[in-house]
Amino acid sequence: MDAVVSAASATIVVIGGGLAGLSASLEAVRHAAACHAALRVLVLEKSPALGGNSAKASSGLSALTAASNDTEALFLSDTIRSGGGLSNESLVRKLVHESEDALAFLKGFGVDLSKLSQCGAHSVVRTHRNERGPNVGFAIMSALTAAAANDEAIEIVTGARVHELLHEGQLDGLVPQAVRGVAYSLQHGAGGGGDGACTTAVAVEADAVVLATGGFAASAEQLGRWAPNLRALPTTNSECATGDGVLLGLELGASTVDLEQVQVHPTAIVDPAHPDARTKWLAPEALRGSGGVLLDAAGRRFVDELEKRSVVTRAMFALPSKGHARLVLGEVAAAAFGLPTLAFYEKRGLVAQHDGFAGLAEHLGVPETTLRDEAGKYDAAAAHGKDPLTGKTVFPSPFGRAAGEAAESNGGTFFSLIVTPALHYCMGGLRIGESAEVLRELADADPDAHGGARFAPIRGLYAAGEVTGGVHGQNRLAGNSLLECVVFGRAAGRAAVDAAIRRLAERTRDGTPPPGA
């Protein structure tokens, strides 16, 4: 039988070491200091290192951008429209209203977010990423991981798989009166799970728990349960995205929302050396936001590259090639996206470089005249402000080296990738309120003013990031995922501290020993 050890309890336990989890942890420490409260935060991450899918993010973080004449009303409208009627407007308002603070929060840790792009279905330029260095997600997670590791109030445990939320009392025979900690298994010893390794079961009491465990787009089992029609598609997710937090919440009677809404990103990279690999690199939306164009097998454009992801995905699947297309960038677009990042992909055999229209045509197996014709039509549409074929109205870069050169020059250097749709993001998850509190449905309560169900928080339980639902509806906009992690991660951290302070007052009044005592 596994050993069960007694552990000194942190006041707050955060499950998950991605952006939502570290935002919650770091904000909790700040908020506790502002409240003059002593605090310990325990971060439990099942993988060997922090980061999760957040470290793979590459398009950036969307936030209100005054330089683009952006407004809260416009950002709100873009996000609500993208959600197709399923987004919770109060959560979206919070997302938008606190977006500038979220940007400042990350910059406060030394993260460069100075480069801007206009991604699909955004009305203006508002998606921020780093000018140079690694992909933006890795840059963000590196900075926040260092900050958390150097904070004495935060303890980080990796290789810790949480399998139960501890609670006290029950309502209606199912829903707990309050969450009071977690039980997890810790694998350690030689081999990292191989020979000589052992697993220790640990129970930790806490005043509040934050779920920041991500989505389930890498779990065939969870996809089969919630979105079986998508189960066979490839995924851009790391193997950690298995829906643990949703299952933990369901065990305590938490309400869920939109679990069937799983986003299929239109452009995952097909590795020519491993074309059937289920896990694929993402071709970030910033490639198209910088001016990359999508071509079918005949070398023709077929869609507005900056439409909603769901629209581009449908157009991809409608191709005779059953989803495969080429993403092509000319010199201007490549420079706008970032040549070092393209070189990173090229080194791994994911991006090919071509000399002029002739080289690109040879690689794609299409006539050079076709590509010149497409370039000419694209640049003419840009000059008129609208493409009659696709309705495109935003043209970040010319097709080739310069606008209008298709007839008389070689086009300069081109870069191309093979892309295909892949599972990318779970819009649905646990239902939360504006303070990131996890909600349960009140089964016996009268309907609300609109005839819908009423909800109440599960005391001591909070959630942020992809484990939650309600913000994105049917379709997530580029950059809104990292934004959601920061906005609601910070909200969860503050709310968890407030809950811990209330719990401390109750213990002091009742003479109850603190967690772990």
Side-chain angles (χ1 to χ4, degrees):
M1 180 177 179
D2 292 339
V4 178
V5 302
S6 175
S9 231
T11 303
I12 294 172
V13 172
V14 176
I15 308 173
L19 181 55
L22 292 194
S23 294
S25 302
L26 293 164
E27 182 69 13
V29 173
R30 288 185 178 186
H31 187 57
C35 296
H36 306 289
L39 177 72
R40 292 182 61 234
V41 178
L42 175 63
V43 179
L44 300 176
E45 168 57 52
K46 69 180 180 181
S47 299
L50 303 184
N53 275 335
S54 299
K56 300 175 70 175
S58 47
S59 283
L61 179 144
S62 294
L64 281 170
T65 305
S68 303
N69 295 319
D70 201 2
T71 65
E72 287 197 24
L74 185 58
F75 194 179
L76 176 70
S77 174
D78 286 350
T79 304
I80 292 292
R81 183 174 62 251
S82 176
L86 295 183
S87 298
N88 181 321
E89 186 167 333
S90 66
L91 297 182
V92 178
R93 286 188 181 279
K94 180 180 181 69
L95 180 85
V96 170
H97 183 68
E98 298 185 14
S99 63
E100 291 175 294
D101 285 344
L103 193 67
F105 174 80
L106 294 179
K107 289 181 176 180
F109 292 100
V111 180
D112 169 30
L113 293 168
S114 59
K115 194 173 184 68
L116 282 161
S117 62
Q118 182 173 349
C119 292
H122 285 280
S123 295
V124 297
V125 172
R126 66 163 71 99
T127 304
H128 302 246
R129 68 184 191 276
N130 46 330
E131 180 72 35
R132 57 183 60 85
N135 63 291
V136 64
F138 187 84
I140 290 172
M141 290 311 303
S142 296
L144 267 61
T145 296
N150 290 324
D151 196 314
E152 294 182 354
I154 299 175
E155 178 185 359
I156 299 169
V157 179
T158 58
R161 185 176 293 272
V162 177
H163 52 80
E164 183 182 0
L165 297 177
L166 306 178
H167 58 90
E168 63 182 29
Q170 286 187 326
L171 301 173
D172 304 324
L174 173 65
V175 181
Q177 290 181 340
V179 172
R180 290 296 178 234
V182 304
Y184 67 95
S185 57
L186 179 64
Q187 197 161 35
H188 54 89
D195 294 340
C198 65
T199 300
T200 301
V202 184
V204 178
E205 295 179 356
D207 296 310
V209 173
V210 177
L211 295 172
T213 52
F216 54 85
S219 170
E221 180 181 356
Q222 295 305 314
L223 288 165
R225 180 176 181 182
W226 308 117
N229 58 312
L230 302 176
R231 184 175 180 177
L233 291 178
T235 182
T236 63
N237 285 247
S238 63
E239 61 184 12
C240 66
T242 53
D244 303 1
V246 170
L247 298 180
L248 289 169
L250 285 172
E251 288 176 358
L252 295 191
S255 178
T256 60
V257 58
D258 300 333
L259 285 173
E260 73 284 359
Q261 299 294 334
V262 179
Q263 184 171 72
V264 179
H265 196 289
T267 57
I269 304 175
V270 177
D271 184 348
H274 305 284
D276 297 323
R278 184 170 187 271
T279 302
K280 299 187 182 301
W281 289 80
L282 179 68
E285 193 154 324
L287 285 164
R288 289 174 281 131
S290 300
V293 297
L294 288 167
L295 303 179
D296 64 16
R300 300 288 186 183
R301 289 184 59 248
F302 58 92
V303 70
D304 175 357
E305 291 85 359
L306 296 181
E307 253 287 9
K308 291 190 301 184
R309 290 176 176 178
S310 55
V311 173
V312 180
T313 295
R314 284 196 297 270
M316 297 273 287
F317 278 132
L319 294 174
S321 57
K322 298 181 180 179
H324 283 59
R326 298 288 183 145
L327 179 56
V328 175
L329 292 85
E331 285 185 9
V332 179
F337 174 73
L339 292 173
T341 305
L342 284 172
F344 171 87
Y345 290 137
E346 188 175 4
K347 184 177 181 180
R348 284 154 181 77
L350 304 175
V351 170
Q353 190 173 153
H354 319 286
D355 183 15
F357 286 113
L360 178 61
E362 181 180 2
H363 182 76
L364 300 185
V366 301
E368 181 180 345
T369 53
T370 298
L371 296 179
R372 288 184 178 275
D373 181 54
E374 285 298 303
K377 290 190 292 188
Y378 185 85
D379 292 341
H384 286 89
K386 186 172 184 178
D387 178 14
L389 172 69
T390 66
K392 185 170 186 172
T393 58
V394 176
F395 301 86
S397 301
F399 194 112
R401 177 183 293 152
E405 69 172 8
E408 58 271 355
S409 84
N410 76 342
T413 301
F414 289 97
F415 299 81
S416 73
L417 311 80
I418 307 172
V419 292
T420 192
L423 297 168
H424 183 56
Y425 187 86
C426 298
M427 275 82 71
L430 299 176
R431 189 185 299 271
I432 61 169
E434 292 182 43
S435 296
E437 69 275 27
V438 176
L439 301 176
R440 61 183 178 89
E441 184 175 349
L442 297 174
D444 298 328
D446 293 331
D448 63 17
H450 303 286
R454 291 186 181 273
F455 301 92
I458 297 176
R459 288 181 58 200
L461 185 61
Y462 304 87
E466 197 176 350
V467 70
T468 70
V471 172
H472 308 292
Q474 293 181 346
N475 183 77
R476 177 176 67 77
L477 293 178
N480 276 6
S481 176
L482 294 184
L483 176 60
E484 176 190 31
C485 286
V486 178
V487 169
F488 288 96
R490 295 177 71 198
R494 292 189 296 269
V497 168
D498 292 340
I501 292 173
R502 290 193 298 271
R503 178 65 174 162
L504 176 61
E506 292 172 3
R507 288 200 304 267
T508 302
R509 183 180 64 246
D510 300 338
T512 305

